[in-house]
Amino acid sequence: MSESPLTSAQAVRLLDKNITKFFWDEYKGLDMIIDRLYDRIKSKRAWEEFQSFGSLPDPQLFNGVIQMQNFNMGYHTKVVPLEYAGGFTLERLLLDTDQSGIIKQLPKQLATAANRKMNKIAHEPFIYPDSAAFTFQTSEEGVALASNSHTTKTPDVPTSSGFDNLATYAFDPANLEALRLQGMGFRDDIGERIQMNFDTIIHGSALSGDVQEMLLSSSKSGQDNSGIVNIQKGRWKSIELPMLDDYSPTGWGIVDFKAMKNSLMWVDAAPLEFNTPPWEYDHQMRKYQDYFRVAWGFRDWRWLVWSDPA
């Protein structure tokens, strides 16, 4: 990116009062998803750390002596917020002679650009769900958010079943049910079944038509017989994330929304701020800057089952 200032020579048309109309900032960016999907926390630390703690095994048949059970520590997670900053420089002459009214509004673009960047970061769990190359997080478990290799630190607990939240199904009603059943089979750190409530489908725009058809149809998709009911109707909500199409239009997943809001975290270490340093009088330039420090991470993976046939 160039650091050269925007000058009157570059933007000479903005100085022309005979231009009938300037087209600028006509389109709205994608909706922000941070507050909708994340547990948003504030932090003044250089990093945040989270420690999971294991479950207590079942009591044993009493034979005259109480058998004591042990707890096991779960996995440790460290989340390090990173710094982001941007800005631009304007020439004094351009500020003084602008006829369009646009130049004085340009600082608003700092907020637009910063929020767009944060929104891109917030999409990462669903853009790269099967990648363990996290931007902010170091996970002791060492696998991706969506993985068929999840483990437990509790000794002698088999992980061949109930520890897999990644699939390769294309979206359709039968595969949606298969994915739900996969999630309903999740187990905790000691291998015990847990109660999940998968209630929300997350998908891109490419799958929106198929998802809405399934959500709204009374009969089963592809069936003319109205007696063959759509068992998925009324069971699900959906969240459309258009940005997913830029990475994998066939990717989709289901979440336990309440569990997601408890496990998926957004860390505001330094809220978005704007600065306008004093004039550079030697060059008659003014700078406009923004800065923020954020991170995302997750405490547990069991709120998500992700599928992508690609």
Side-chain angles (χ1 to χ4, degrees):
M1 289 289 184
S2 172
E3 297 182 1
S4 300
L6 182 62
T7 67
S8 55
Q10 294 171 296
V12 66
R13 294 293 186 186
L14 299 182
L15 312 184
D16 186 351
K17 66 180 180 181
N18 294 314
I19 297 293
T20 303
K21 184 175 181 179
F22 291 93
F23 289 91
W24 176 76
D25 199 24
E26 297 287 327
Y27 302 105
K28 181 179 180 292
L30 295 178
D31 290 339
M32 296 288 288
I33 66 169
I34 299 170
D35 289 327
R36 187 178 186 186
L37 302 185
Y38 285 81
D39 175 21
R40 195 166 190 170
I41 63 176
K42 295 181 179 180
S43 173
K44 292 297 183 182
R45 302 174 181 175
W47 61 83
E48 294 286 340
E49 297 185 76
F50 303 89
Q51 177 68 54
S52 63
F53 195 77
S55 301
L56 183 66
D58 292 349
Q60 303 299 306
L61 182 67
F62 182 67
N63 59 5
V65 179
I66 294 177
Q67 302 297 311
M68 294 299 178
Q69 288 98 16
N70 292 322
F71 292 98
N72 285 281
M73 297 298 292
Y75 289 112
H76 172 268
T77 299
K78 181 178 181 180
V79 178
V80 181
L82 299 179
E83 296 176 294
Y84 294 85
F88 60 89
T89 304
L90 293 179
E91 177 195 49
R92 170 69 181 269
L93 180 61
L94 182 59
L95 280 164
D96 289 345
T97 58
D98 171 38
Q99 301 297 306
S100 67
I102 289 176
I103 295 300
K104 292 181 175 61
Q105 298 182 62
L106 286 182
K108 296 179 182 178
Q109 285 291 300
L110 288 172
T112 300
N115 283 313
R116 184 174 59 239
K117 179 60 177 179
M118 283 191 279
N119 207 29
K120 289 177 180 178
I121 294 170
H123 279 74
E124 287 184 5
F126 310 102
I127 292 173
Y128 310 114
D130 58 349
S131 172
F134 302 119
T135 306
F136 309 97
Q137 175 167 313
T138 302
S139 171
E140 184 183 6
E141 187 188 22
V143 301
L145 170 60
S147 172
N148 51 22
S149 302
H150 287 295
T151 56
T152 176
K153 293 176 74 174
T154 303
D156 302 321
V157 173
T159 58
S160 58
S161 177
F163 288 82
D164 177 1
N165 70 331
L166 181 63
T168 56
Y169 304 128
F171 181 83
D172 65 32
N175 286 339
L176 175 61
E177 182 64 9
L179 208 65
R180 187 187 75 87
L181 291 175
Q182 182 175 335
M184 295 304 292
F186 285 169
R187 297 177 182 269
D188 65 9
D189 69 296
I190 59 173
E192 296 291 343
R193 280 187 173 271
I194 54 176
Q195 182 65 50
M196 303 301 298
N197 179 31
F198 290 98
D199 56 0
T200 304
I201 304 167
I202 293 183
H203 58 90
S205 297
L207 292 176
S208 182
D210 293 336
V211 172
Q212 292 307 310
E213 180 182 3
M214 188 217 64
L215 292 178
L216 300 175
S217 298
S218 296
S219 60
K220 189 175 180 180
S221 178
Q223 298 288 339
D224 295 329
N225 186 346
S226 60
I228 303 178
V229 299
N230 175 18
I231 63 170
Q232 305 293 356
K233 183 179 182 181
R235 174 180 280 177
W236 301 93
K237 301 183 288 292
S238 70
I239 298 176
E240 179 180 346
L241 301 179
M243 196 182 296
L244 267 59
D245 288 355
D246 296 339
Y247 299 86
S248 179
T250 57
W252 62 287
I254 59 174
V255 301
D256 179 324
F257 192 84
K258 183 177 179 181
M260 176 182 68
K261 289 284 285 186
N262 184 56
S263 293
L264 188 60
M265 56 189 150
W266 180 271
V267 181
D268 282 311
L272 177 58
E273 63 183 45
F274 306 99
N275 297 298
T276 305
W279 277 103
E280 290 189 6
Y281 287 105
D282 288 347
H283 303 96
Q284 290 299 300
M285 302 291 178
R286 168 151 281 177
K287 291 183 177 180
Y288 300 84
Q289 302 168 344
D290 61 11
Y291 174 90
F292 57 93
R293 189 163 63 91
V294 297
W296 73 269
F298 59 93
R299 301 179 180 95
D300 188 58
W301 54 267
R302 291 171 178 84
W303 53 271
L304 171 71
V305 195
W306 193 259
S307 184
D308 194 342

